[in-house]
């Protein structure tokens, strides 16, 4: 059931989302994403990685008994590294991490503003509230006294 108070909160959420989308961090993320999407070399590296990954999946079914085990494992790591170390990919990942950090921080601030007992989903190591408490993956929570 939506009353005027809930509608007002939803309007404020929309305003917050607009503010985030207007932020420099989001704009840099969008630019990096577009650059990555238009980078033909990065696309080729990704395709190469995906091809070898399919072979890797096949090798995993047989493990060390597969005749090309060592070759496929090594080639998979090489292709993945080549893609992940490509400058455009590195730039995108950095901007993606910055945006995620901002979103985690906003969520943490909102949660801690409501109550110090509200837990924030912290699949990211950046998710900590203002007093240095946070939950890591696996449900491990802890606080550090500053």
């Amino acid at each position: 059931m939506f009353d005027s108070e809930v509608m007002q909160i939803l309007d404020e959420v929309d305003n917050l989302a607009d503010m985030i989308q207007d932020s420099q961090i989001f704009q840099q993320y969008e630019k990096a994403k577009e650059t990555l999407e238009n980078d033909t070399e990065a696309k080729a590296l990704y395709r190469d990685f995906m091809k070898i990954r399919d072979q890797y999946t096949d090798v995993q079914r047989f493990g060390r008994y597969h005749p090309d085990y060592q070759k496929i494992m090594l080639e998979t790591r090489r292709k993945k590294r080549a893609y992940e170390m490509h400058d455009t990919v590195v730039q995108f990942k950095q901007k993606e991490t910055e945006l995620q950090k901002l979103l985690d921080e906003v969520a943490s601030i909102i949660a801690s503003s409501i109550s110090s007992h509200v837990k924030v989903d912290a699949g990211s190591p950046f998710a900590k509230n203002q007093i240095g408490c946070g939950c890591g993956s696996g449900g491990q929570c802890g606080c550090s006294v500053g």
Side-chain angles (χ1 to χ4, degrees):
M1 175 174 248
F2 289 98
D3 59 10
S4 63
E5 189 174 290
V6 171
M7 295 304 291
Q8 183 181 359
I9 292 170
L10 293 175
D11 286 342
E12 291 299 322
V13 168
D14 286 341
N15 290 338
L16 180 59
D18 289 343
M19 289 172 63
I20 291 170
Q21 289 178 331
D22 289 340
S23 73
Q24 183 179 6
I25 291 172
F26 182 78
Q27 297 302 318
Q28 290 173 345
Y29 165 79
E30 284 291 301
K31 184 178 182 201
K33 181 179 170 188
E34 182 180 338
T35 301
L36 178 60
E37 289 171 350
N38 293 320
D39 187 328
T40 55
E41 186 179 347
K43 284 180 182 180
L45 289 169
Y46 184 73
R47 276 192 308 272
D48 289 347
F49 169 66
M50 294 306 287
K51 285 178 192 174
I52 195 74
R53 195 185 74 162
D54 290 341
Q55 293 177 15
Y56 171 85
T57 302
D58 187 46
V59 165
Q60 288 301 307
R61 292 187 310 154
F62 300 101
R64 294 192 180 274
Y65 300 107
H66 192 284
D68 295 328
Y69 177 81
Q70 291 293 341
K71 178 183 160 202
I72 299 294
M73 297 300 282
L74 184 59
E75 192 63 20
T76 301
R77 286 192 294 273
R78 282 186 187 145
K79 299 279 185 182
K80 181 178 182 188
R81 182 165 175 78
Y83 174 71
E84 289 180 343
M85 297 307 292
H86 187 277
D87 189 52
T88 306
V89 176
V90 170
Q91 292 297 319
F92 171 74
K93 295 280 187 182
Q94 287 174 341
K95 298 307 174 186
E96 183 180 50
T97 299
E98 289 173 16
L99 178 59
Q100 186 63 53
K101 185 176 178 181
L102 173 64
L103 295 172
D104 290 344
E105 191 173 330
V106 168
S108 182
I109 290 169
I110 291 170
S112 65
S113 296
I114 294 169
S115 169
S116 62
H117 300 289
V118 173
K119 292 193 167 78
V120 177
D121 179 21
S124 164
F126 303 115
K128 292 187 177 203
N129 68 22
Q130 294 173 333
I131 58 171
C133 298
C135 295
S137 61
Q140 299 295 319
C141 299
C143 296
S144 61
V145 179

